[in-house]
Amino acid sequence: MINGKDLKPQDISKPVKQLTKIDKLMDLPAPYDKPGMEPELTEPKEEWAEKFCASLDGYIGLDTFETPKTKEEKEELVKKFLSGLEKMLSDETNRSIIQPLMLSLDYCAKCHTCSEACHIYAATDGNELYRPIFRSDILRRIVKKYFTKSGKLFGSLVGADIDLTWETVARLGELAYRCNLCRRCAQTCPLGLDNGVLAREIRKIFSQEMGIAPKPLHEKGTMLQLKTGSSTGITKPAFLDIIEFLEEDIEEKTGWNIKIPIDKKGADILLTHNAGEFMAWPENPIAFAILFEKAGINYTLSSDLIGYDNVNYGIWYDDAQAKKVAMQQFEAAKRLGVNKIVIAECGHAHKAAAVSADRMTTSDNKIPVESFLPMLAEIIKSGKLKLDPSKNNFPVTLHDPCNVVRQMGIVQPQREIIKAVCPQFREMTPHGVDNYCCGGGSGFAIMNSMNFGEFRNKVSTRMKFKQILDAFQDTIEDSSIPKYVCAPCSNCKGAIRDILEFYEVTAKFNVHYGGLVELVVNALADLEKPFLEFLHDDEA
């Protein structure tokens, strides 16, 4: 096993049981700077290591990739990977991403600016394996060796020095799932190069060419969505029952009789939610229904499940799957004759429908897509909602979803909203386009197979946990004061929920989490009882 500080890209092919391990993690602020405040790192179970590829760092993200048993299987694995690389480098087969891909492959100056920007590299105390350019350089060296004349002729003299064994391929596939694809590295790169693009291209080769992708993303995500219409797997009758339940819940919570419009032809807006909200956080779609009703918004939901579920997991690992979902979502909007789609609190749906879809379709097939954030900010500015900010008189901090701020440049609307309803708002440091990922990005939030949940909770979310603790340092150890982490993204909420549970922060220090619209509803002047559940506990 090689010390993480001494690891080199060429070591990816070394025939060792496990290439390296995480020896040290970044220190956390008080009160988690004390011994015994967090669980120790664990070793992978022996049966996992025998069946799957745990030979990178001991963690297993690719839960569908089993160790090949025969020489022929190993050779076939390498052959398929090389075939995928060839397609990756072709303008004909990879036209939508070829320009930024080739720039990122060809022009890295090795200045390591991206390393200082990476939350995973920082969380592991500078372990070389997690340096953004580490995986990029491995890919770069493989491409040079197998697809350039200089590499074939001069080999290691020109940096073409990585042998493509089956284990090299397997480790590189795992390494592509040690990146949240948050693109903070791309933002800080002085040349504008994108290591996240290279990580995703590796994932894409594994999925599209080799049929290997994490089960929560592909089988339980995309394929379930395409088969049943929703990543939750619920049926249309079940969805309609959920809507009835939400309407009953609104009346029970508020006393207001509000009907949620379904399949309203010719509405101005099709509002789409992450399907997980209906199952895990129904208070979020309830809050949207209340605010849109009070603001007089002409909107509808769709009972076409592809239309109601704005999830599109394909953007994390597979272009073909992403396009299938995006096209069906646009078709659902067209059938209703709406003027535009508005994306609710889901970061990756913002990216999928409003950014990535532009590379997947023509203008004739696309419906205009907007974020709910500028719209809600305008509603609040208009005075249509009568607000009493004193109802949210507790410390609140804001997590910026990467795909909202960095992919779409939406930074100020959410701040205008939160400042209008939260008198004790405090920013995380850094924030806005410089924010750190929640650690659940690119699928990590739903990847819990074997020991991958530990990697997320201990490593990829570590910087976000530090930011949360830093934001509440003045009150963190006073459990009598409720504190709220606002995360306007379903995926981010899932990751933050897991952090708070893993470190027992809610129970010990009264720290809660939720979306943005819930805070707005809680501040409505004519709301008799608190909308936020933890405030009910305080009243009791």
Side-chain angles (χ1 to χ4, degrees):
M1 195 176 296
I2 304 167
N3 185 293
K5 298 285 188 180
D6 301 325
L7 203 62
K8 297 179 177 60
Q10 299 92 322
D11 293 330
I12 196 77
S13 298
K14 285 202 170 176
V16 291
K17 184 177 180 181
Q18 186 175 313
L19 196 61
T20 190
K21 65 185 292 187
I22 298 171
D23 295 310
K24 188 177 185 303
L25 291 171
M26 174 187 71
D27 293 335
L28 291 172
Y32 288 86
D33 55 347
K34 301 178 182 68
M37 286 296 286
E38 63 172 315
E40 296 292 326
L41 292 164
T42 62
E43 298 291 331
K45 292 182 180 180
E46 194 61 38
E47 59 265 33
W48 296 346
E50 288 178 4
K51 187 174 182 181
F52 301 95
C53 177
S55 70
L56 180 71
D57 57 359
Y59 292 102
I60 301 159
L62 284 171
D63 57 352
T64 57
F65 173 52
E66 296 187 14
T67 302
K69 296 178 176 58
T70 67
K71 179 183 176 183
E72 290 74 23
E73 287 177 348
K74 294 173 182 178
E75 289 175 349
E76 183 66 14
L77 187 74
V78 174
K79 181 180 175 182
K80 286 182 177 179
F81 184 76
L82 282 171
S83 173
L85 272 182
E86 185 174 20
K87 291 174 184 175
M88 180 190 83
L89 298 168
S90 167
D91 181 63
E92 187 64 32
T93 51
N94 207 16
R95 186 172 302 158
S96 65
I97 203 70
I98 194 70
Q99 186 181 46
L101 168 65
M102 296 309 296
L103 289 171
S104 299
L105 274 175
D106 292 343
Y107 289 103
C108 179
K110 309 291 175 65
C111 68
H112 299 291
T113 306
C114 59
S115 303
E116 302 307 315
C118 179
H119 59 288
I120 294 179
Y121 181 70
T124 56
D125 194 44
N127 187 312
E128 288 295 316
L129 185 68
Y130 309 107
R131 189 187 288 276
I133 66 168
F134 188 87
R135 86 178 58 79
S136 300
D137 207 30
I138 292 170
L139 184 64
R140 191 175 288 115
R141 289 165 185 263
I142 292 170
V143 167
K144 186 169 284 188
K145 179 168 184 174
Y146 292 90
F147 294 96
T148 69
K149 289 182 180 178
S150 62
K152 291 175 181 177
L153 289 172
F154 303 112
S156 60
L157 293 175
V158 293
D161 52 4
I162 291 181
D163 294 323
L164 202 56
T165 65
W166 79 267
E167 195 151 45
T168 305
V169 173
R171 287 172 176 166
L172 188 56
E174 276 294 338
L175 191 53
Y177 286 92
R178 302 297 183 272
C179 170
N180 283 125
L181 308 184
C182 77
R183 302 185 72 253
R184 196 171 191 266
C185 59
Q187 180 170 289
T188 59
C189 176
L191 299 177
L193 308 184
D194 193 343
N195 288 288
V197 162
L198 300 182
R200 189 186 176 279
E201 286 300 299
I202 297 168
R203 294 183 180 195
K204 194 167 79 178
I205 291 171
F206 265 72
S207 178
Q208 294 184 187
E209 200 68 23
M210 302 161 67
I212 299 169
K215 190 177 291 185
L217 307 191
H218 183 63
E219 185 179 321
K220 294 182 178 179
T222 301
M223 298 313 292
L224 185 62
Q225 187 175 14
L226 289 169
K227 179 181 178 182
T228 68
S230 167
S231 57
T232 61
I234 68 171
T235 63
K236 180 174 179 176
F239 171 66
L240 295 175
D241 285 345
I242 288 172
I243 295 301
E244 283 188 24
F245 167 77
L246 296 187
E247 292 172 342
E248 292 168 4
D249 209 26
I250 291 172
E251 188 161 13
E252 184 179 327
K253 285 177 181 288
T254 67
W256 299 326
N257 183 9
I258 292 175
K259 295 297 179 184
I260 299 172
I262 303 290
D263 298 331
K264 181 180 176 183
K265 294 275 188 178
D268 182 42
I269 289 167
L270 170 61
L271 178 67
T272 64
H273 294 281
N274 183 308
E277 300 286 346
F278 293 97
M279 308 295 287
W281 301 290
E283 64 274 10
N284 188 267
I286 282 175
F288 269 99
I290 292 170
L291 295 177
F292 277 29
E293 172 75 14
K294 287 195 169 283
I297 303 300
N298 180 17
Y299 82 104
T300 187
L301 301 187
S302 170
S303 68
D304 182 328
L305 297 186
I306 284 282
Y308 104 78
D309 183 3
N310 64 25
V311 162
N312 190 341
Y313 292 163
I315 65 163
W316 294 329
Y317 73 98
D318 191 308
D319 285 351
Q321 306 301 343
K323 183 174 181 178
K324 288 177 188 176
V325 172
M327 293 304 98
Q328 291 192 46
Q329 288 171 338
F330 289 147
E331 284 301 319
K334 283 183 177 181
R335 282 193 288 273
L336 289 173
V338 298
N339 293 321
K340 59 187 174 183
I341 298 170
V342 169
I343 304 293
E345 295 194 9
C346 179
H348 91 261
H350 277 70
K351 176 182 178 180
V355 180
S356 298
D358 283 344
R359 292 177 176 267
M360 299 172 185
T361 186
T362 63
S363 58
D364 293 341
N365 295 321
K366 193 173 185 296
I367 299 287
V369 180
E370 297 179 8
S371 168
F372 80 98
L373 285 164
M375 179 181 174
L376 182 55
E378 287 301 317
I379 289 171
I380 287 176
K381 284 180 189 175
S382 73
K384 291 178 180 178
L385 305 175
K386 303 305 178 186
L387 301 170
D388 179 2
S390 68
K391 292 185 173 186
N392 290 330
N393 194 20
F394 45 84
V396 175
T397 193
L398 174 66
H399 162 69
D400 284 296
C402 300
N403 288 313
V404 173
V405 292
R406 269 194 289 278
Q407 288 280 5
M408 294 187 69
I410 300 172
V411 178
Q412 291 309 313
Q414 55 268 48
R415 285 166 171 77
E416 293 169 5
I417 296 164
I418 209 166
K419 287 175 183 177
V421 297
C422 297
Q424 294 192 51
F425 171 60
R426 70 274 308 277
E427 292 277 18
M428 291 185 183
T429 303
H431 55 265
V433 294
D434 295 318
N435 81 303
Y436 284 108
C437 178
C438 66
S442 79
F444 285 22
I446 56 175
M447 290 170 61
N448 291 297
S449 302
M450 289 165 278
N451 60 354
F452 196 79
E454 179 180 281
F455 181 84
R456 180 186 64 249
N457 289 326
K458 292 279 289 182
V459 182
S460 68
T461 61
R462 196 171 190 84
M463 184 62 81
K464 184 52 58 179
F465 186 42
K466 178 182 184 300
Q467 285 191 286
I468 292 169
L469 295 175
D470 283 340
F472 294 133
Q473 269 300 293
D474 58 334
T475 60
I476 187 66
E477 294 191 64
D478 187 344
S479 60
S480 69
I481 300 175
K483 295 159 279 283
Y484 188 91
V485 183
C486 177
C489 166
S490 185
N491 202 63
C492 299
K493 278 194 302 195
I496 290 169
R497 171 197 59 200
D498 289 354
I499 303 172
L500 299 184
E501 290 178 357
F502 185 78
Y503 290 100
E504 301 179 340
V505 190
T506 302
K508 291 178 178 177
F509 303 111
N510 204 3
V511 179
H512 304 269
Y513 75 96
L516 178 57
V517 288
E518 293 96 306
L519 286 171
V520 179
V521 170
N522 198 65
L524 289 173
D526 57 346
L527 186 72
E528 293 184 4
K529 295 185 295 184
F531 186 74
L532 299 169
E533 289 295 327
F534 66 86
L535 296 179
H536 292 185
D537 296 337
D538 285 352
E539 285 183 342

